[in-house]
Amino acid sequence: MTLVTDLPALTAAQLHHTCDPHQFDFQTTAELEDLGELIGQMRAMEAVQFGTGMRHEGYNIYVQGPSGMGKRSMVQQLLARKTPTEADPPEWCYLHNFKQPHKPQALSLPPGRGADLRDQMAKLVDYLRSAIPGLFESDEYRAKAEAIQHAFSQREEAALKALGDEAESQKIFLLRTPSGFTFVPTRDGEVIPPDDFNKLPDDEKQRIGTAISGLQDKLGKILEVLPRWRKERAEQLKQLNQDNTLLTVKHALDDIRTRFADVPAVLAHLDVVQQDMVEHVDDFKNPDETTQMGGGLAFVTHETFHRYQVNVLVTQKAGAGAPVVTEDNPTYGNLIGRIEHLQQFGALVTDFTLIQAGALHRANGGYLLLDVRKLLMQPFAWESLKRAMQSREIRLESLAQMYSLVSTVSLEPEPIPLHVKVILFGDRLFYYLLQEYDPDFGELFKVSADFEERIERNADTHMLYARMVATLTRKDKLLPFDRSAVARVIDFSSRMVEDAHRLSTHIRRVADLMREADYWARQSGHGAVAATHVQQAMDAQIRRHDRVRSELNEAILRGIILIDTQGAVQGQVNGLSVLDLGDFAFGQPSRITAITRLGEGEVLNIEREVKLSGALHSKGVLILSSFLGGRYARDQPLSLSASLVFEQSYGHIDGDSASLAETCALLSDLAQAPIRQSLAVTGSINQLGQVQAIGGVNEKIEGFFDICAARGLSGEQGVLIPASNVQHLMLRHDVVEAVAAGRFHVWAVESVDQAITLLTGIPAGEPDAQGEYPSGSVNQRVMARLKELTELWEEKEEAEDGEAGDGPHHKAKAKEAGHGDQDSRP
């Protein structure tokens, strides 16, 4: 039999894997070259390169990993090298649709041509607004217009004169009055007064009446034909205006046609513009119009000629390659674009010039970078993005119109073809949730670029880390870091990932530490950052977040929270837990107690009963119960009832890292073997009694160490951890120094037996060939106690059966003694 009471404690060298600054051949990072890419992200880089190079539909990219790892920077650097070699995307404009004004037309132009067309059209309108009015004031135009007017006036006068001559021949005058024309009788060239007319003979009056009636019929026919003549005159004048205008407009447009001769769509649009300008020449002649409103108000409106403008949505620089667009606020409008409205006289109006581009327009032909969390938080943004990617076109729709929130007339712009590579950035949780619950996600985002959170720690990665530090110092204009400071940053990185053999790829936290170290170096007047400044920055970070830990430690030291660090108590052990407060995590000892008594094999988890136990903690207690039954009660009932509790715990508890401590507390109570309170325990167990790794091992050790150090280190205090966690140790220097001086200890255990032996000072004991444990060992005491409880339980059952008399148990006993019911069958 091999005892484990002499299990050696870990050495100081095993508690902290220190980076040796002398391995570097530089004095400061000023001597190092920049690092061109992120460390240890080859898998992710290959995925991004594949996704950006694959041009088939659906091969968009989801870049996953925690924030602060430099994902976006790496992708942007890769795209910065790739996009200049790609084709320039076209520019997109919206033009007025002269046939259907509510459906603006989309126009594609080569890079750099959209702004030119917009400016040329603006200059054209400005020129025509002055040239056309001047054209109609010329002597030539006036002469032609007067000729048309004179011709029609002569025609009208000739008809009226002929009628007047005919009337005179019948001694009747054709008179013009303010209300029109009238016929009156005459005598000797003078109009006959009414009184004299009444004295005329009846036959004369009858003759005059008949003559006037006939003349009035002829006058009516003339008056009927006059509107047609005037219309012909107006048409001739209009045609004159258009003929004169056409020459001016065509001449002005010919310059634009020459500049855009290689774009047929522009030439077709200019033809329509020319026709509209000619047809609406009066708009140029009278650009201002006065409108009378109620209440005596008058408004002067100005013709703005919006229909001739060009709304350039997106401009591109020739030779710049594919665009890379980052949208930090991916609302529906910012993503898809929007149609704005103006308020005029209490009404909302809009036109194609109020169409605004979205991120998809700007990224069309290139790459669009989005944060998935921000995207999913915006109403309608995710669905609209998917719809655009699936249809491969950008269709502008007003949400207010879509959901009938307003009744104003809106626009229906022509959709723009979409060719874009979307790159989403987000945590792994969002990726797996979208894969599970969104059937479209897997079809649209077929490439996953998964970033590593840690990389292997060796001499090569140490040097790469040093170059990364050099890169960050130059990027943020920090003081150079000497090699001791670089080594301390590397140690900090290992502590971040809780692994002595790995380094963190969380660049943001490293950069934050470097900035703060630079601050302390400048405060002290140094020209370079040293290890002391890095340590000062680390201590300052802890100091800023240390209030809660200080208050809890104070409560322990004042005896408010009961934690013993000396003596021995049966069924009581110091467990270790970690409190995570965002950017700061720290360890805290907790008293765990166990009480065993006669029962039916139930291990009561008091935390679970009051709903303060998480699923993982409850699972650990159930595994503990299985371990007890499997080891000590294979051939007999487990006739005990036990209760476990975290004393003075008033919050939620989760995780199974206390299952080793809980097991030891139970075994201590069963074996009546007191546990040394100078020790603390962490670790989970399986059903075989093997100790398994846990998280937060560094914080847990340091949490118990701080309490012991505050009360005075006696050389007996220490912590038991899983052996598989030794590789994760990156303890503070004061803990390492205390261990090196023999004032504190850390043991690595692999089994419950090793742990209970160290905690009680009594060998756990190993079974012999017959399965018997050595006398006096912990396991033998436990077996003896459980056997005693089993016998007590059987005596209790027999007593209960005796009292019952004819109970089922009694009948069974009687039957065994030959006093059972007689069988009446033959």
Side-chain angles (χ1 to χ4, degrees), residues 325-340:
V325 176
T326 299
E327 179 54 63
D328 292 327
N329 184 27
T331 63
Y332 176 87
N334 289 347
L335 197 61
I336 305 298
R338 60 187 179 274
I339 302 173
E340 296 182 343

Side-chain angles (χ1 to χ4, degrees), residues 181-194:
F181 295 93
T182 186
F183 292 96
V184 295
T186 63
R187 184 173 54 195
D188 299 331
E190 298 291 336
V191 176
I192 301 175

